[in-house]
Amino acid sequence: MLGTCMFIGFAISLLWIPRLSDRYSRKSIFVIGAVFNLAVLFATIWAKKIETMLVLNFFVGVALPTRYNVGFVYLMEILPRSKQSVYGGYLNAYGCLAYLFAVFIFLFVSKNWIYLGLLSIMT
């Protein structure tokens, strides 16, 4: 249910966040979404009840389009045309490497998730 709440929030916010970034500026929507995402992720780490985590995961999903959709388009707009494919590929590969890194940490180093959670908030 935690993942479902996140994807429901993501799907609902895709209906209005890209339009907001077109109406106002991509930069302002991206910054507001990044700050909101940071606050919700910190709250998620210290949430104790499952009901609270469900609501917070919904809000994480709401914040995701500002990062992945609006942020990516904003980055492609400010980069020169010759650098867009290089940095776009790097950005997508970097996101996949983070998941691979987490798997190896849990497999070989530690089962304690809090440090990896704090590290993921900072990236």
Side-chain angles (χ1 to χ4, degrees):
M1 189 63 182
L2 290 170
T4 302
C5 285
M6 187 182 330
F7 285 118
I8 289 172
F10 183 71
I12 289 172
S13 64
L14 278 174
L15 297 172
W16 54 276
I17 286 184
R19 176 75 177 125
L20 279 179
S21 71
D22 289 339
R23 174 173 257 169
Y24 302 106
S25 69
R26 288 189 194 359
K27 182 179 181 181
S28 61
I29 298 299
F30 177 71
V31 169
I32 290 168
V35 170
F36 178 70
N37 190 22
L38 184 67
V40 171
L41 287 175
F42 269 120
T44 303
I45 285 181
W46 287 290
K48 300 289 184 208
K49 298 168 99 179
I50 189 68
E51 295 85 8
T52 307
M53 290 184 76
L54 290 173
V55 171
L56 289 171
N57 269 0
F58 174 79
F59 286 122
V60 167
V62 168
L64 283 178
T66 61
R67 190 168 152 195
Y68 292 116
N69 300 93
V70 176
F72 186 79
V73 171
Y74 177 58
L75 176 68
M76 293 299 117
E77 286 177 347
I78 62 176
L79 283 174
R81 199 151 191 71
S82 62
K83 304 283 184 193
Q84 287 178 354
S85 61
V86 172
Y87 284 103
Y90 171 74
L91 187 64
N92 290 325
Y94 178 74
C96 295
L97 287 176
Y99 292 116
L100 187 63
F101 178 72
V103 167
F104 285 118
I105 289 291
F106 287 133
L107 188 62
F108 296 117
V109 179
S110 172
K111 302 291 186 220
N112 193 355
W113 63 272
I114 191 75
Y115 303 113
L116 190 61
L118 291 171
L119 179 66
S120 70
I121 287 176
M122 291 185 272
T123 58

